[in-house]
Amino acid sequence: MSNPAPSAALLIPFLLGCMALPAEGASFDCAKATSWIELAICEDPALGRLDERMAAAYRDAREA
């Protein structure tokens, strides 16, 4: 049985890349979180802020 979690070698650079963008909180409703990554984001305020920063960067890129 394989582990569904990505390796730290992939996740850590992604999260570090998000740190330069300003924002607060998760980009989705934590009351509806079901996946392991959504639950992790909702349980950790720092991850929630990083998630919101990534969502803002994605939104800005799509608008450009």
Side-chain angles (χ1 to χ4, degrees):
M1 180 188 233
S2 67
N3 184 355
S7 70
L10 297 175
L11 188 58
I12 290 172
F14 167 78
L15 294 175
L16 290 175
C18 297
M19 293 176 91
L21 304 170
E24 295 288 322
S27 65
F28 55 90
D29 184 355
C30 283
K32 297 178 182 177
T34 57
S35 72
W36 70 269
I37 192 68
E38 291 171 335
L39 294 171
I41 289 168
C42 292
E43 289 175 7
D44 186 330
L47 287 178
R49 287 188 300 273
L50 291 172
D51 177 67
E52 182 57 35
R53 291 173 184 172
M54 179 57 79
Y58 179 75
R59 187 172 43 249
D60 291 346
R62 287 190 48 101
E63 291 174 359

